[in-house]
Amino acid sequence: MLENLVSTVKETNEKTRLEILLADTQGARGSARIALDSYIEALQKTSDVAQRENATRQAISNAGRLSLSEAKSLWNEMQGEQEWAFLEPYVAFRLAKIHYHSRNFDSAEELLEEIKENYSQSKFAIGAQALLERIKKRFKTSPEMIGVLLPLSGRYNQFGNRAKTAIEMAFENQNEYQLVFKDTQANAKKAALAVEELVMEQHVLGIIGPLFSQESYSAALKAEELSVPIISLSHREGIPEIGPWVFRTALTIKAQATGLAKVAFEKLGMKNFAMLSPRSRYGQSFSNAFWDKVNQNSGEIRGFETYEHNATTFQNPIRRLVGRYFRSARTEYVEGARAIRARKLSPQRTKTEIERLSKKLNPVIDFDAIIIPDSGKNIGLIAPAIVFEDIVLTRDKEDLETIRKTTKQKEIKTVVLMGASTWNSSLTLRSCERYCENAIFVDAYFADRPAPEVQKFVGAFQERLSIQPRLSEAQAFDTAGWLLNVLQQGQPKARDTLRTALLAAEPYSGVSAKMQFTQNGEIQKDLFVLTIKDHTIREWQPQAPASQEGAL
C-alpha cells in the first residue's frame, strides 16, 4: 500500500518523506539490504537537512544488521560508488565482525587492515585495531600452560579446592607444564571471563573445568568461541554438543542409567523392571534414560511410580507398584469382599473382615528388580517400606526358608534393588541397615578398590586434606592425569593439535573408571558394578544361581 502511495506522489519533499518511511518499514521487517537502497535513493533526491540526517542515521543502523551474504554483496557493489561512500567503513566493519564470529579470520584480518588504512579517520579505526589485536592474541599459544577453572572461593569453594588438590597431584613430579588456576566462584559470567583471560592473557594450550552446571555451560560456550580445547568436569547434559572444542569427563546421569541397564540385561539376564523415582531432575533424567535402554533391549517396565523428592513415607507408591493400592482392580479382593458382605455381618465386623482381606492380598511381583534413582539416605527409608509390602529382597537361605513356611509358598520370587552412584556412600550403609544387602548399583569410582594406584591416590589425598576423595576429586585427578599423558606423548604445540590428540587418545585407566572420548567429545566409561555384602560396599562378582532365589 505504501509502495503504491509513493509512486503516485509528485511533490519532491513529500515523495522523499514517504520513501524514507517505506525504508523504515522495510528495515523493521528485517529487509535491511532493501531498506538501504531506499535510503540511498532518498538521499540523492532531497536537500532537506532533517530528511538527510534521518536517512543517513537509518542507513547506518541498517548496515549493522546485514547478513553475511548481504554484507559481502554490498561491499563489492559499493566500491567506487560515491553515494555509498559514507557507508563503506560501516559495512566493512560489519563484514569483518561476521567473518570473525564465523572463524574466517583471514578475511576478517584483511578487512580490518583495510579499515585502518583507508578509513583511519572513522570511528571504526580504533575498533578495527582492537579486533586485530584480539585475533592475534587468540592465536598466540604457550604450549606449556594449562588453564584450570574452579570455584576456589564463595559458597562452593570446598569442592573447588578439593578438585584443585587432585589436579595438582596429577601434575606433580614433572616440570614441563604449568597449571594456571582461575577462580570462577561457581558464577557463569566469571567463568566465561576466566576463559577469555586464560586465552588472551595466559595463552593456555587447553583448559580443565569448571565443576558446576551453569558455569560449565558458560565456559564451554566461550571456549568454543575462542577455539580452545576445554575438558568440562560437569555432568550437565549437552555440554559436548556445544561444539568440537568441548570435551567432558564427568559421569553423567544418562551414563549411569545406561551402565545400570547394561548390567541388568547382560550380566543379570533381567527383562522386567519396576521403577520408583523421586520427582526431581535427577530422578526424571535417570528414569527416562533407563527406560530408553529397556525399550532398546526389548525389556519391559512393569510398574512406574513417583514420589515427592522430600518425601519421608513411601507406602502408597510402593503399594501401587505391587497392586495393593487399587484393590478394586484385583479380582480376588472383589470376590472376597462380596463373599464377606453376603454373610450379613455387623457393619463393624464387615469392616474388620475386609481389612483383614486387604492385608492378605499378595503383592503382584512381575518384575526382577526395582530401580530407585535416589540418595543413599532415602534408600534407608524406602527399602524397609518395600519389605513391609512382602517384597522379598533377602537371599539368605534361612530367611527364605522362614518366608516359605510363613507364606506356605513353595517358590519365592526375590527382587533386586538397583541404583546408581548416589548409593556408593557410607550413608547408604548407615541408613539402610540390613535391607540393602545384595543391592546392585554402578559408579565410576570405588575408593576401596585394592588396585595400588587407587590406594596411593586415596592415601596421598587424605594426607593433604584429611578427608577421603570422592568421585568428583577422582575424576579431576584422572582428567588431569590423562591430559598430562596426552601432552607428554604427543607434545602438541597448537590447540587444534591438542584437540585432535584428545580425540585419538587411547582409553585411559586411572583411579576411576576406564575412559575414552567419543568423536563428539563425550566420555565413555566402563563403570564399576557394586553391591552390599555383610554391611559393606564391595565390587559385585557374578555367581551362578542355583535356583530362582539363588544369590546374584
Side-chain angles (χ1 to χ4, degrees), residues 11 30-31 50 69 142 192 309 354 546:
E11 200 275 320
S31 302
S69 59
S142 298
H309 72 281
I354 289 178

Side-chain angles (χ1 to χ4, degrees), residues 229-258:
I230 185 169
I231 307 175
S232 176
L233 299 175
S234 168
H235 64 73
R236 173 174 174 160
E237 298 293 345
I239 289 283
E241 285 77 4
I242 288 174
W245 295 93
V246 182
F247 298 78
R248 181 241 299 289
T249 53
L251 177 64
T252 65
I253 297 172
K254 182 178 179 180
Q256 294 178 58
T258 299

Side-chain angles (χ1 to χ4, degrees), residues 31 128 183 231-232 255 321 327 340-341 407-408 416 438 464 470 479 508 512:
S31 302
D183 181 11
I231 307 175
S232 176
L321 209 59
R327 297 184 295 273
I340 292 171
R341 293 189 181 96
T407 61
K408 298 179 181 180
V416 181
N438 304 299
R464 286 167 171 80
R470 300 174 306 175
T479 298
Y508 183 78
S512 62

Side-chain angles (χ1 to χ4, degrees), residues 328-383:
S328 59
R330 301 280 296 273
T331 302
E332 62 266 45
Y333 174 81
V334 174
E335 292 178 351
R338 185 183 298 122
I340 292 171
R341 293 189 181 96
R343 292 163 59 187
K344 305 295 185 181
L345 302 173
S346 68
Q348 183 59 43
R349 181 75 184 279
T350 299
K351 180 180 178 182
T352 301
E353 290 295 319
I354 289 178
E355 287 177 352
R356 187 175 298 162
L357 173 65
S358 298
K359 292 178 181 179
K360 287 183 178 180
L361 276 178
N362 289 326
V364 178
I365 303 175
D366 53 358
F367 45 83
D368 305 308
I370 303 177
I371 312 302
I372 310 173
D374 206 339
S375 67
K377 177 182 178 181
N378 280 349
I379 296 304
L381 300 174
I382 295 170

